[in-house]
Amino acid sequence: KDMDLTKQRNTLIEEMLQILIYVVGERYVPGLTNVTKEEVVMREIIHLLCIEPMAHSSIAKCLPENENNDTGLDKVINKIAIFKKPGVSGHGVYELKEQYQKQFNMFFYHYTKTQHSKAEHMQKKKRKQENSDEALPPPPPPELMPAFSNVVNLLHCDIMMHILRTILQRAVELDSSSWTESMIQMGLHLIALGLLEEKQQLQKAYEEDVTFDFYHKASRVGSSSPNAMSILMLLEKLKNIPQLEAQKDLVSCIQQMFDTVKHLREKSTVTVVATVSGSEVMKGDESTQEKDKRKRKAEAARLHRQKIMAQMSALQRNFIESHKLLYETTGDTQERVSATSEEESTPVAVDYSRIVLGPKRDPTVPEKEVLTCILCQEEQEVRMDAAAMVLTACVQKSTALTQNRGKSIMHSGETFDPHFMDPDLACGTHTGSCGHVMHASCWQKYFEAMNINSRHRLHVELIFDLENGEYLCPLCKSLCNTVIPIIPLQAQKLNNEDADAVSQLLTLSHWLEIVMARISGCSVKNMTGENQQSPVSTNDEARNSSVEFHSILSYGVQPSTRYSKSIEDMLILFATTVYRVGLKVPPNEADPRVPVMSWSTCAFTIQSIENLLADDGKPLFGSLQNRQSSGLKALIKFAAAQRTTSPQSLIQRHLVRFLAVLLPSIKLEDTPSLLSVDVFHILVGVILSFPSLYWEDAVELEPSPISSSYNNLYLFHLLTMTHIVQILISSATDYLPAQIQDESEEARSAAALYREVSQYTSGCLRQDIPGWYLWDCVKKGIIPYLRCAALFFNYLLGVTPPEELQSSSQDGQFKALCTYLSLPTNPFLLFQEYWDSINPMLQRWCSDPAVLNFLKGKGTQVRYPRKRNTLIELPEDYSCLLNQASQFRCPRSSDDEQKHPVLCLFCGAILCSQNTCCQETVNGDELGACTVHSLQCGAGVCMFLKIRECKVVLVEGKTRGCLYPAPYLDEYGETDPGLKRGNPLHLSHERYRKLHQLWQQHCIIEEIARSQETNQIFFGINWQLL
């Protein structure tokens, strides 16, 4: 009870002191003093900006409005504050100018308790950063009008003196329950106000005319008691109280103000000087003392350093003298080593090229990889025979690279054949990762715990779907739906002598014969009891030759790679997730399309990353974020290892399906034409499935490093030539003779090849296209393919790329890519070198009916290089969008006005959102116009701009979405959700670029999940009917 009474008494005293401060200190009222309305607004803004830098709208909300609903903000804001423009996020803010920081009043009348604490903290922090004291005395108040001039007498009346002495006396006594630090702070503030008032009056009049006498009354003892002390004496005692350490600077400041007033009273005459704040005078005196103190410390430190350095020099001399012989020997050795290195460096320095393919491939030198689990914090080395380590991952369908935005991407997953990606990349399967590592066992326990906890969280269904394997990363809360097993890189080193010997025997034509014989034999062996026919057309002699069937093994084999049971389980889990998400079907690990979907997501993810790097102007290697690099590396190694979890006969059938596009001797039904496939997807598929040809019934084998080097080289060369022909047919036929360039060797080679291709197309190709134009088209068109191939082989084989590919400069990029990938810088030389083998392939490619129909103008085709997708072009002025929306009328509605028009930022379509007129039924679900459009335009992921609300909506699937700031800002760098302020809005290209990157980086789902996790709403928006 006594404690409660004491607390209540202290609260009453604090409130009384606060009222006294307001009465004598708050003078910014027109008529009370000579202040104008602008000065009043300035003071309000100054104290708002002392809390923190604020946006224009936030300041305007805090200011009172006059009879014209005007705050007066715009008239004074630029005088007292500096505008800081916004970046790609946040909003523009005003920061208070340095010269107005001195006008901060800690007990400003309009501060709430929270604002008071925050302002005090920020100001003390700022002064500490400037290496000045943390005292915050009141600023000099304006002079009262004559009618109110007697109000200041409250400060030096006897009752006020008694109150101040009593408060300070209680602080000096041992009993701490009768005072609070806030009480002392207010008392010191009142003392400072009294001294400032007396100082101002002394500076304007003679001492005899000044009746305000705070100084003398504060210097007198309050009573005749022997223990009585004056306010000045009590201030000195306050410095020694540990609980008031934070007020020590303010006490020192007030003491110096006493000295200043005493000095003014001792003057015989009064000199009118410019008004200077007490804090400045004190700062000058204190700064002199501080400077002297710093000088003494610096001199002592300098002498101490000199002493230590002298001691170290002496020790070094003694050591050298005692080990003189050792130093002489070391010197001789270093000279010999340096001389030897100079001699050896001469021949080695000639060639710094690095090669990833072929018999001259650089060795793979894997580093020991030790990773830390984010759940149990235990470290583990990544090994093939150890327990699996996994990366969090999110698999999603994507249309980010599509060249045909209006193309329908809705298909039946049950019957869809994923072997061949359309060249327009209409819809792919992208795999991303946040880069966080876990033990597979830890992740399984975490996921099980999430299942249990979800039953007690009502909003969990709005964030992630546990039934579809979704979860939030334990560390960064990114949305994930699977994990990628981390496969270690195996050391591979070629024997140069053996590789040279093989090169004499294994030419491309001989390699093709061996491969065809092997495929023919495997096809016959894998036939079931049904009446099947081998897809390979070969002569009977080759088909019956067991030597030819096994001859592929004679160029080097090794035992197949074996993985631990834990890694195999994770390989199957991730492959099944890719299959389920990519085809929108129930999980089925036995489906023959599972391996194909694994290779497809690998190829599409590489293409997405290459497109992103090219769009940002970043180098191919060395510029990826750690999460992107680790995710891509794990994905490519997974795609290579997944083959071991499927029947090898199935992998062989997939390989034959891919090769049927290239090789005329393989005849399969529904084989697409050259112009109907994406070559890079086929490259990834054939490279990763080709080792299945080495599989034997009795023993599990795979190609040796030498065999692999030739297999990879020849497959890459074949597909590169395929892509060159693709470019010549589809992209080099729209030449307009506008300029003439000199014919180079590459141009002549391009013209020669073009003539051969023209012969096989029945003369459908134009004949007037110059060689230099053909070469220019091929060079520009093939670079994205080569960049993707370089990324793929780098992470697959672990050969360090050349330095030219690690810089953002485009000079020398083509040459570096060709060198790294074992290509001649004139790629048409491949056709000359392999002409006997490539000629029949060329005839088949060019005589395909689909190719001839295109050349006759009966179809459209993707042109290379593919265009980079961007969000639609928006007008600079937002009013243009409002006008556009006002003219929109929904064809399905009879209403004249559409309340919620939205703009798709992917394709530019305007829809009427949240209206029943445009709702459709899809697979039994009633969906709104935006949700239906997102399924068709973005494979379920889309961005919309709500035109009449100036908000961006991110949508994913049928049940998830979030609001995102629009890329339109007013002149103060702020968005205007709901268009409530009505300021003119203009497009921020930086904000719009960030939205574009959010889309191209496939982070929309991640942004939605984080937004919903942060804003946990039990009854959220019905995104299904958006």
Side-chain angles (χ1 to χ4, degrees), residues 285-298:
D285 297 338
E286 190 177 357
S287 63
T288 306
Q289 297 175 4
E290 288 291 330
K291 284 180 181 177
D292 294 339
K293 190 175 180 181
R294 287 196 202 98
K295 283 183 181 179
R296 291 194 298 271
K297 285 185 176 180

Side-chain angles (χ1 to χ4, degrees), residues 81-142:
I82 301 171
F83 181 68
K84 299 288 186 181
K85 291 184 178 181
V88 294
S89 60
H91 44 66
V93 293
Y94 283 97
E95 288 186 0
L96 189 63
K97 291 181 179 178
E98 192 64 34
Q99 61 265 33
Y100 291 96
Q101 298 281 354
K102 301 168 187 174
Q103 298 188 23
F104 171 68
N105 182 2
M106 187 162 54
F107 294 98
F108 178 58
Y109 177 62
H110 289 147
Y111 274 164
T112 63
K113 285 186 178 181
T114 304
Q115 289 176 328
H116 167 83
S117 301
K118 193 171 182 180
E120 180 185 5
H121 172 73
M122 291 300 294
Q123 291 302 308
K124 286 188 174 181
K125 181 180 178 182
K126 186 177 182 64
R127 294 175 74 87
K128 189 174 182 180
Q129 290 173 348
E130 296 171 353
N131 294 324
S132 59
D133 62 80
E134 297 182 19
L136 298 172

Side-chain angles (χ1 to χ4, degrees), residues 726-798:
Q726 254 188 343
I727 297 170
L728 287 175
I729 294 176
S730 63
S731 305
T733 55
D734 54 354
Y735 167 69
L736 297 176
Q739 56 181 338
I740 299 175
Q741 295 185 8
D742 295 335
E743 294 288 327
S744 61
E745 180 187 350
E746 291 86 353
R748 289 190 292 271
S749 301
L753 176 62
Y754 188 76
R755 286 192 295 271
E756 295 292 340
V757 172
S758 179
Q759 292 178 6
Y760 298 136
T761 56
S762 305
C764 294
L765 282 175
R766 292 178 53 179
Q767 304 297 321
D768 59 342
I769 302 178
W772 65 265
Y773 180 78
L774 296 171
W775 163 233
D776 185 64
C777 287
V778 169
K779 185 175 180 181
K780 290 178 180 177
I782 204 172
I783 281 181
Y785 164 79
L786 296 181
R787 284 165 57 90
C788 290
L791 280 173
F792 173 64
F793 286 115
N794 171 258
Y795 286 104
L796 179 67
L797 303 175

Side-chain angles (χ1 to χ4, degrees), residues 309-322 327:
M309 292 299 294
Q311 292 175 350
M312 290 177 64
S313 298
L315 290 171
Q316 285 177 346
R317 285 195 298 271
N318 292 337
F319 183 84
I320 290 172
E321 288 294 330
S322 58
Y327 268 77

Side-chain angles (χ1 to χ4, degrees), residues 787-852:
R787 284 165 57 90
C788 290
L791 280 173
F792 173 64
F793 286 115
N794 171 258
Y795 286 104
L796 179 67
L797 303 175
V799 176
T800 307
E803 294 180 0
E804 292 86 350
L805 298 180
Q806 300 180 41
S807 66
S808 56
S809 173
Q810 297 298 313
D811 297 336
Q813 178 186 227
F814 182 75
K815 183 178 179 181
L817 285 169
C818 291
T819 303
Y820 188 57
L821 296 169
S822 296
L823 284 176
T825 52
N826 178 2
F828 300 103
L829 295 179
L830 289 176
F831 290 89
Q832 298 177 19
E833 182 181 355
Y834 303 139
W835 182 250
D836 292 338
S837 301
I838 203 70
N839 190 26
M841 301 181 197
L842 201 59
Q843 293 183 36
R844 175 182 170 179
W845 298 339
C846 298
S847 60
D848 190 286
V851 174
L852 297 177

Side-chain angles (χ1 to χ4, degrees), residues 356 605-611 613 619-622 624 632-633 636 680 784-798 801 805 817 820-821:
V356 73
T605 304
I606 293 172
Q607 288 176 317
S608 299
I609 289 179
E610 186 278 329
N611 178 76
L613 292 174
L620 188 62
F621 295 100
L624 286 178
L632 185 58
K633 178 182 177 182
I636 293 174
F680 182 69
Y785 164 79
L786 296 181
R787 284 165 57 90
C788 290
L791 280 173
F792 173 64
F793 286 115
N794 171 258
Y795 286 104
L796 179 67
L797 303 175
L805 298 180
L817 285 169
Y820 188 57
L821 296 169

Side-chain angles (χ1 to χ4, degrees), residues 859-929:
T860 58
Q861 185 56 42
V862 172
R863 300 190 179 277
Y864 301 93
R866 298 182 181 95
K867 62 180 179 64
R868 295 196 189 101
N869 288 337
T870 60
L871 297 178
I872 65 168
E873 186 175 349
L874 291 178
E876 291 290 329
D877 193 331
Y878 194 73
S879 60
C880 296
L881 277 178
L882 291 173
N883 292 335
Q884 186 179 355
S886 66
Q887 298 170 5
F888 170 73
R889 293 293 180 269
C890 176
R892 299 187 181 184
S893 174
S894 59
D895 297 337
D896 292 335
E897 182 180 1
Q898 303 303 321
K899 295 183 179 179
H900 303 285
V902 297
L903 175 68
C904 174
L905 297 180
F906 287 0
C907 68
I910 297 183
L911 314 167
C912 54
S913 171
Q914 296 173 293
N915 283 354
T916 56
C917 61
C918 291
Q919 290 181 1
E920 296 182 21
T921 302
V922 179
N923 296 330
D925 296 327
E926 194 73 22
L927 304 180

Side-chain angles (χ1 to χ4, degrees), residues 7 66 138 193 201 228 303 325 372 440 488 513 539 655 763 769 800 901 918 957 1004:
K7 188 176 180 181
N66 59 15
L193 279 173
Q201 293 193 20
L303 294 173
L325 182 61
T372 303
E513 292 174 1
N539 55 48
L655 173 63
I769 302 178
T800 307
C918 291
I1004 293 178

